[in-house]
Amino acid sequence: MTKIIYNKFDKKQIGQLPRVLFGGKIVVVLTVSEADKAVKYLLSRDILGIDTETRPVFRKGQHHKVALLQVSDRDTCFLFRLNRIGMPKSVLKLLEDKTIPKIGLSLVDDMLMLHHRAKFTPGYFIDLQNYTKGLGIEDLSLQKLYANIFHQRISKREQLSNWENDVLTEAQKRYAATDAWTCINLYEEMKRMKESGDYELVTVDETIAKTDNNEIQDNKTEKR
């Protein structure tokens, strides 16, 4: 069946979609030796999803360094607590690796935050925000992209929680892992769509306000 995608997904629909949640193994990395083991495992994988979390700022002029680096393969996600361990050599090796594709979203921001902890030369990274252009998708948020491609909802409830807590909650861990893991899903599915051409792009007229994409009229459909 041909997949229908939209240049802009109706945000009002997202809350009605079933929630997607990473169901694999989550490993919290709290020491340099644990980081070394985690990186050794990750560098043996064929593809990785990556994201970061930073303690939110609620006061003007306040700044925090990135607290968490989450890196996932298809079934295991490692949460590197950078506020505890800093940037070990093994983590820098992972970030500078040029052989394994590391998929993320808005990677310029992530790299900037990570550079505040240590200097490094980014290796092989693919930013989903650039990859979507070839499909005609204009949305830039992970939540909207996932809703558009998979019709599932990524919850952002934990986004503004304290990522420097002594112990991360189960909800925080699952949220962080989901963000990294879904980047892999998006990349692989969009790559498949591009290679197969098995999709239709519906360009939504911005002057039409609709709450249900299935009811959108007067739109232009481009078959790829």
Side-chain angles (χ1 to χ4, degrees):
M1 180 181 295
T2 300
K3 183 186 288 284
I4 304 296
I5 62 173
Y6 299 85
N7 66 317
K8 293 186 177 182
F9 194 83
D10 185 357
K11 187 176 182 179
K12 295 178 182 178
Q13 287 195 74
I14 295 177
Q16 304 170 17
L17 298 175
R19 184 180 179 185
V20 60
L21 207 59
F22 178 68
K25 181 180 179 181
I26 298 176
V27 180
V28 180
V29 179
L30 294 169
T31 68
V32 172
S33 61
E34 290 174 352
D36 295 345
K37 293 177 183 178
V39 169
K40 182 178 181 180
Y41 170 85
L42 290 167
L43 289 177
S44 70
R45 305 294 93 186
D46 64 333
I47 190 171
L48 300 172
I50 189 169
D51 195 16
T52 65
E53 304 297 339
T54 302
R55 181 178 178 178
V57 172
F58 299 109
R59 294 180 183 178
K60 186 177 181 180
Q62 190 179 40
H63 301 282
H64 298 294
K65 291 184 179 181
V66 60
L68 190 72
L69 170 67
Q70 55 261 47
V71 187
S72 179
D73 65 3
R74 294 180 181 85
D75 50 33
T76 304
C77 184
F78 293 88
L79 307 182
F80 296 85
R81 301 212 62 187
L82 302 185
N83 60 308
R84 297 282 195 89
I85 64 174
M87 293 282 276
K89 290 182 180 180
S90 57
V91 172
L92 294 176
K93 179 181 179 181
L94 175 66
L95 295 172
E96 293 188 330
D97 168 72
K98 296 181 180 180
T99 62
I100 302 167
K102 288 165 277 295
I103 318 301
L105 186 108
S106 189
L107 287 172
V108 171
D109 295 334
D110 287 323
M111 294 300 110
L112 178 62
M113 293 298 294
L114 289 167
H115 271 105
H116 287 163
R117 284 204 171 272
K119 300 301 180 184
F120 62 94
T121 302
Y124 187 5
F125 287 90
I126 296 175
D127 195 323
L128 292 171
Q129 287 185 344
N130 297 326
Y131 203 79
T132 57
K133 294 178 181 178
L135 292 172
I137 298 174
E138 300 175 42
D139 289 324
L140 298 179
S141 76
L142 185 66
Q143 188 183 55
K144 280 191 174 183
L145 283 176
Y146 212 83
N148 197 351
I149 300 297
F150 291 106
H151 295 284
Q152 293 179 312
R153 171 177 55 91
I154 297 176
S155 173
K156 309 305 289 185
R157 183 174 298 176
E158 302 300 321
Q159 186 175 33
L160 296 180
S161 60
N162 185 358
W163 294 100
E164 295 181 8
N165 279 334
D166 289 341
V167 178
L168 296 178
T169 67
E170 287 302 315
Q172 283 180 309
K173 289 186 284 187
R174 198 63 60 179
Y175 166 90
T178 298
D179 272 10
W181 169 71
T182 51
C183 287
I184 298 176
N185 297 344
L186 278 169
Y187 172 74
E188 293 187 327
E189 177 62 9
M190 290 192 293
K191 185 172 183 291
R192 183 199 68 79
M193 291 162 59
K194 280 187 176 183
E195 292 175 350
S196 67
D198 185 25
Y199 69 95
E200 291 184 9
L201 174 70
V202 175
T203 302
V204 181
D205 186 340
E206 293 184 4
T207 64
I208 301 176
K210 294 291 183 181
T211 58
D212 188 343
N213 279 331
N214 293 324
E215 296 177 358
I216 290 173
Q217 298 177 351
D218 298 325
N219 56 55
K220 178 183 178 183
T221 304
E222 299 176 358
K223 191 166 185 176
R224 302 283 172 164

